Amino acid sequence: DAGVIQSPRHEVTEMGQEVTLRCKPISGHNSLFWYRQTMMRGLELLIYFNNNVPIDDSGMPEDRFSAKMPNASFSTLKIQPSEPRDSAVYFCASRLQGAPEAFFGQGTRLTVV
Amino acid sequence: KNEVEQSPQNLTAQEEEFITINCSYSVGISALHWLQQHPGGGIVSLFMLSSGKKKHGRLIATINIQEKHSSLHITASHPRDSAVYICAVEANTDKLIFGTGTRLQVFP
């Protein structure tokens, strides 16, 4: 398996534009997590899904952020409209529910100018 | 106060030194994870602990549930161990609460 695949790896966009980040979890994993990492706040959980259903989105900063998981092999994190303070590295991770190890994607480095 | 505290924040060491990174937490947990983030940004899961001690190569992780404390030890450190080490706890859900990380640099 290729691991958790995120795209794009880097994204630079102008303030106000819509940004969509994509994640393909490891096949068979039924839990998927979106994290954000910044220098100021470190790693933070934004939202996680079990069996494609959002379980906890309390970490989503505000209504500009939305996440979907239309099927077991794909998830998106959308920011609309984007703001400079959204600049961060966004990680997706997947896990077999109850298993010890979570596997992280390489991250998407987002810069909003 | 953060629910998960790591110390030190930054650590430099000479090759072959024994290294200890500490993690304290203030919530009830079902498990604790140690993660490694390489300079390129990739994150790798090193250990998941719910009690006792685990060893993998030169890495040893211990946890004391009563004291709400975990340590990550690296024996015979090497420059390739240079990375950010992150402690994260599972507070009885699948959700991870992260420490701020310890940046380790090992010099030859």
Side-chain angles (χ1 to χ4, degrees):
Chain A
D1 200 310
V4 177
I5 300 172
Q6 289 186 246
S7 64
R9 289 293 307 276
H10 302 273
E11 176 83 32
V12 180
T13 192
E14 289 188 342
M15 187 172 73
Q17 296 298 306
E18 177 180 295
V19 175
T20 300
L21 311 181
R22 296 174 176 80
C23 176
K24 182 181 186 319
I26 290 174
S27 178
H29 284 189
N30 55 355
S31 294
L32 183 141
F33 307 82
W34 280 102
Y35 298 99
R36 178 172 68 176
Q37 186 178 39
T38 61
M39 290 290 290
M40 292 293 292
R41 300 170 68 93
L43 269 166
E44 303 171 280
L45 176 69
L46 299 176
I47 185 171
Y48 78 95
F49 296 84
N50 279 346
N51 297 312
N52 312 341
V53 176
I55 302 300
D56 186 339
D57 65 354
S58 58
M60 296 283 263
E62 48 199 90
D63 291 346
R64 297 184 298 105
F65 285 67
S66 63
K68 292 183 181 177
M69 192 163 185
N71 57 60
S73 58
F74 184 66
S75 177
T76 59
L77 178 68
K78 188 175 290 188
I79 309 172
Q80 166 64 21
S82 57
E83 296 183 3
R85 62 191 165 123
D86 302 329
S87 298
V89 180
Y90 291 81
F91 287 98
C92 175
S94 74
R95 181 178 177 183
L96 187 60
Q97 192 176 3
E101 198 173 358
F103 294 82
F104 285 77
Q106 289 295 301
T108 295
R109 182 173 295 276
L110 173 65
T111 304
V112 183
V113 298
Chain B
K1 189 177 190 301
N2 292 335
E3 291 167 302
V4 181
E5 297 272 0
Q6 283 186 240
S7 63
Q9 282 190 303
N10 294 285
L11 183 55
T12 58
Q14 286 294 124
E15 191 170 355
E16 293 292 320
E17 272 189 44
F18 180 82
I19 287 160
T20 296
I21 300 170
N22 295 300
C23 176
S24 296
Y25 53 92
S26 57
V27 295
I29 70 168
S30 55
L32 182 143
H33 298 254
W34 281 102
L35 309 172
Q36 180 191 52
Q37 185 169 27
H38 293 285
I43 296 176
V44 173
S45 176
L46 297 175
F47 294 104
M48 187 189 90
L49 297 164
S50 52
S51 64
K53 176 175 162 179
K54 285 191 176 177
K55 184 175 190 294
H56 186 257
R58 294 180 294 105
L59 301 178
I60 303 167
T62 64
I63 187 168
N64 184 318
I65 297 292
Q66 287 72 34
E67 294 185 4
K68 295 189 173 177
H69 182 267
S70 174
S71 293
L72 177 69
H73 305 286
I74 305 175
T75 61
S77 59
H78 190 276
R80 65 173 175 265
D81 297 326
S82 299
V84 176
Y85 292 84
I86 303 168
C87 171
V89 300
E90 277 188 63
N92 300 315
T93 67
D94 284 325
K95 214 167 143 169
L96 288 178
I97 305 170
F98 295 92
T100 51
T102 294
R103 185 175 297 276
L104 171 66
Q105 287 184 290
V106 182
F107 293 99

